């Protein structure tokens, strides 16, 4: 959940606010950016919003109008990958790979500084690591989704999870002679790749109630997915459900008595279910438990946020000079601990305090490796440090220092 801290909502060096509707700002703040419409990013936003303009994706704009009744005249829809100029700042929305309509915002200042606010996102080496705007030059400040910023969160790619889930669904259907109903838990938006992905792979229809179907029609989903939707719930083995099914799974036992289904499986797709460990890949991805005679809950390690490995890849690729965590960062202490997990991959050349800490830690390891192993809270986690990159940065600093000394004596 996005941290509700006022300072984390302001884009440094601007009067811009990102996902920060829960606070009051001065009269100069008139431009509000919305990364996506999940409820923890719209806290404080009401249909009477009149503080300025809301900049968001076209999908998010439709949802603001449909779901929240926001006035059209205060919404400024933006096309993904199209740059606009606002108060001398170049602003570009980039796909966040999170949920429909979600975007990151790239802010490029007049002085050349570049700030990337990821919102909630799932880093992709293919989508983000090769994006021409992100690759053009380094990012100075990275405002980062740190939901899973811990080395224990190393869950698989979405594609691999959906493949494993589809195999499991296929096996269940075969064993019960097509009499199993799969109810996918979903937020108002999100998890579409999970249930439509399984439906495509298993050649199954999907049922959404009329209200959910109206929302799906706003999301610019692929035509191949939308063609899988049917109006008769008895003709679809995949139903799009809500979180209430997990709270009251026993009620399904009665609900399915008058249907063609003999069993019901509640599919819970979230990264928090990842168990890791020494089990097989399928065991780590899927975990099923029966809650009553003919109802079970299937937990699936499907996440729409970046894993820790993907966060490392993001920082390694973008080489930010500064990271500002936006999740689980309610205090400066919490924020610093999150940055420490990634700082070995940053460009530390302009941050003397961190490069000194890194070098001191490295010297400590070289002289006393056993002591390092016993240290539960190191200043820098060496497992996360890109040694070669930091050596290059340090060599560059030494070269500059030597050049200054040479120039000084030459003048003498």
């Amino acid at each position: 959940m996005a941290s509700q801290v006022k300072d984390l909502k302001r884009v440094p060096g601007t009067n811009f606010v990102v996902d920060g509707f829960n606070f009051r700002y001065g009269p100069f703040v008139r431009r509000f950016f919305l990364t996506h419409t999940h409820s923890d990013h719209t806290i404080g936003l009401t249909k009477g919003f009149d503080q300025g303009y809301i900049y968001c994706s076209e999908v998010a704009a439709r949802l603001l109008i449909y779901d929240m009744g926001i006035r059209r005249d205060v919404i400024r829809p933006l096309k993904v990958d199209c740059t606009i100029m606002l108060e001398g700042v170049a602003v570009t929305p980039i796909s966040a790979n999170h949920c429909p309509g979600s975007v990151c915002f790239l802010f490029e200042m007049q002085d050349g500084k570049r700030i990337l606010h990821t919102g909630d996102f799932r880093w992709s080496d293919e989508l983000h690591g090769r994006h021409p705007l992100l690759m053009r030059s380094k990012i100075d400040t990275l405002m980062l989704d740190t939901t899973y910023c811990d080395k224990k969160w190393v869950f698989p790619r979405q594609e691999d999870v959906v493949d494993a889930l589809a195999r499991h669904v296929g096996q269940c259907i075969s064993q019960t002679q097509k009499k199993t109903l799969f109810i996918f838990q979903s937020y108002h938006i999100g998890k579409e790749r999970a249930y439509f992905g399984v439906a495509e792979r298993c050649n199954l229809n999907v049922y959404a109630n009329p209200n959910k179907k109206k929302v799906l029609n706003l999301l610019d989903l692929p035509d191949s997915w939308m063609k899988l939707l049917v109006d008769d719930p008895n003709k679809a083995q995949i139903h799009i459900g809500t979180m209430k099914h997990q709270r009251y799974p026993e009620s399904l036992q009665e609900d399915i008595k008058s249907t063609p289904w003999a069993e019901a499986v509640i599919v819970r797709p979230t990264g928090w279910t990842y168990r890791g460990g020494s089990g097989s890949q399928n065991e780590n991805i899927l975990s099923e438990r029966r809650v009553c005679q003919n109802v079970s809950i299937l937990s699936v390690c499907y996440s729409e946020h970046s894993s820790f490995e993907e966060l490392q890849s993001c920082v390694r690729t973008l080489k930010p000079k500064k990271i500002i965590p936006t999740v689980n960062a309610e205090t400066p202490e919490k924020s610093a601990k999150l940055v420490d997990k990634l700082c070995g991959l940053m460009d530390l050349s302009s941050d003397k305090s961190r490069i000194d800490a890194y070098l001191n830690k490295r010297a400590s390891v070289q002289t006393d490796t056993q002591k390092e192993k016993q240290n539960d809270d190191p200043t820098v986690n060496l497992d996360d440090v890109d040694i070669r990159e930091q050596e290059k940065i340090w060599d560059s600093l030494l070269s500059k220092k030597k050049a200054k000394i040479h120039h000084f004596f030459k003048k003498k």
Side-chain angles (χ1 to χ4, degrees):
M1 181 174 177
S3 297
Q4 295 303 308
V5 179
K6 186 175 182 179
D7 288 345
L8 297 181
K9 306 301 182 182
R10 294 287 294 265
V11 179
T14 73
N15 289 319
F16 300 162
V17 170
V18 179
D19 297 343
F21 302 97
N22 202 29
F23 308 96
R24 299 301 299 180
Y25 303 93
F28 296 107
V29 175
R30 300 284 294 167
R31 304 191 191 276
F32 294 78
F33 295 83
L34 179 65
T35 59
H36 64 295
T37 59
H38 279 163
S39 59
D40 57 321
H41 294 257
T42 59
I43 293 175
L45 180 59
T46 65
K47 64 180 182 181
F49 175 84
D50 61 356
Q51 297 182 54
Y53 299 103
I54 301 172
Y55 298 84
C56 59
S57 71
E58 294 176 325
V59 168
R62 291 184 212 125
L63 291 169
L64 287 178
I65 296 167
Y66 177 79
D67 290 328
M68 303 184 69
I70 305 296
R71 300 196 327 265
R72 293 176 182 270
D73 61 299
V74 300
I75 301 174
R76 296 292 184 266
L78 303 177
K79 291 185 178 295
V80 173
D81 292 333
C82 290
T83 302
I84 62 169
M85 294 299 298
L86 294 171
E87 300 180 16
V89 178
V91 182
T92 310
I94 296 170
S95 172
N97 195 33
H98 175 61
C99 68
S102 62
V103 293
C104 310
F105 285 107
L106 176 64
F107 300 96
E108 298 179 281
M109 312 300 177
Q110 288 179 315
D111 62 3
K113 289 183 178 179
R114 289 156 45 91
I115 298 173
L116 179 67
H117 194 303
T118 68
D120 286 352
F121 88 133
R122 183 145 192 187
W123 170 268
S124 163
D125 287 333
E126 292 74 23
L127 174 64
H128 302 112
R130 299 175 183 174
H131 196 286
L133 283 179
L134 297 181
M135 295 300 97
R136 188 163 64 191
S137 62
K138 289 183 179 180
I139 298 297
D140 293 278
T141 300
L142 178 62
M143 304 181 77
L144 181 64
D145 169 15
T146 44
T147 299
Y148 290 112
C149 190
D150 190 284
K151 62 183 178 182
K152 68 181 179 181
W153 300 113
V154 289
F155 39 78
R157 299 182 314 149
Q158 281 183 352
E159 294 85 351
D160 296 334
V161 174
V162 175
D163 284 342
L165 179 55
R167 287 193 296 270
H168 183 84
V169 168
Q171 291 169 3
C172 290
I173 291 174
S174 176
Q175 291 167 3
T176 61
Q177 287 150 3
K178 298 186 177 181
K179 291 185 177 181
T180 303
L181 172 66
F182 298 90
I183 301 175
F184 277 71
Q185 289 184 340
S186 173
Y187 303 120
H188 187 57
I189 58 169
K191 315 299 183 184
E192 292 81 8
R193 290 177 193 163
Y195 52 78
F196 280 120
V198 170
E200 275 193 318
R201 288 164 171 79
C202 297
N203 195 27
L204 300 175
N205 289 328
V206 178
Y207 172 75
N209 65 42
N211 288 334
K212 180 66 174 181
K213 193 171 181 180
K214 287 179 182 177
V215 173
L216 293 174
N217 281 319
L218 300 174
L219 305 184
D220 288 347
L221 299 176
D223 289 340
S224 60
W225 288 3
M226 298 302 288
K227 289 177 181 177
L228 298 173
L229 290 170
V230 294
D231 295 327
D232 185 350
N234 290 333
K235 293 183 178 179
Q237 277 189 264
I238 291 179
H239 288 196
I240 306 172
T242 63
M243 298 304 171
K244 73 176 184 180
H245 292 109
Q246 183 182 343
R247 292 195 293 270
Y248 310 109
E250 295 82 2
S251 65
L252 278 176
Q253 202 163 255
E254 292 297 320
D255 293 345
I256 65 174
K257 283 184 177 179
S258 58
T259 71
W261 320 117
E263 293 193 1
V265 177
I266 301 168
V267 183
R268 180 172 171 253
T270 172
W272 297 115
T273 66
Y274 181 70
R275 298 187 303 166
S278 57
S280 67
Q281 186 181 44
N282 263 25
E283 288 174 340
N284 291 333
I285 294 175
L286 309 174
S287 174
E288 188 168 6
R289 63 182 177 88
R290 189 164 292 276
V291 293
C292 50
Q293 184 178 358
N294 57 352
V295 178
S296 59
I297 294 178
L298 179 64
S299 296
V300 184
C301 180
Y302 172 92
S303 177
E304 292 175 333
H305 295 267
S306 303
S307 69
F308 185 65
E309 288 180 335
E310 288 163 344
L311 289 176
Q312 288 180 307
S313 180
C314 169
V315 176
R316 183 184 297 111
T317 301
L318 300 181
K319 293 288 189 300
K321 297 177 180 178
K322 182 179 182 180
I323 292 178
I324 300 176
T326 61
V327 180
N328 302 321
E330 290 76 17
T331 67
E333 293 75 20
K334 286 184 178 181
S335 181
K337 285 183 179 180
L338 291 169
V339 175
D340 285 346
K341 296 175 187 292
L342 298 167
C343 69
L345 304 170
M346 297 167 59
D347 177 357
L348 301 178
S349 59
S350 60
D351 189 342
K352 187 176 185 299
S353 63
R354 286 199 174 276
I355 201 164
D356 284 350
Y358 163 73
L359 291 170
N360 288 338
K361 182 57 60 178
R362 186 180 179 196
S364 173
V365 171
Q366 290 174 335
T367 57
D368 192 358
T369 55
Q370 187 62 34
K371 182 178 178 180
E372 171 60 32
K373 289 179 181 179
Q374 296 172 352
N375 186 355
D376 292 329
D377 186 24
T379 304
V380 174
N381 185 347
L382 289 177
D383 292 336
D384 303 335
V385 170
D386 187 331
I387 299 294
R388 291 183 178 177
E389 181 63 25
Q390 298 308 318
E391 285 179 339
K392 288 179 182 178
I393 294 171
W394 183 241
D395 288 343
S396 174
L397 290 173
L398 287 177
S399 297
K400 291 178 181 178
K401 192 72 173 178
K402 289 178 181 178
K404 287 183 179 179
I405 294 172
H406 177 74
H407 180 69
F408 173 80
F409 283 107
K410 190 176 181 180
K411 289 176 67 177
K412 290 287 185 179

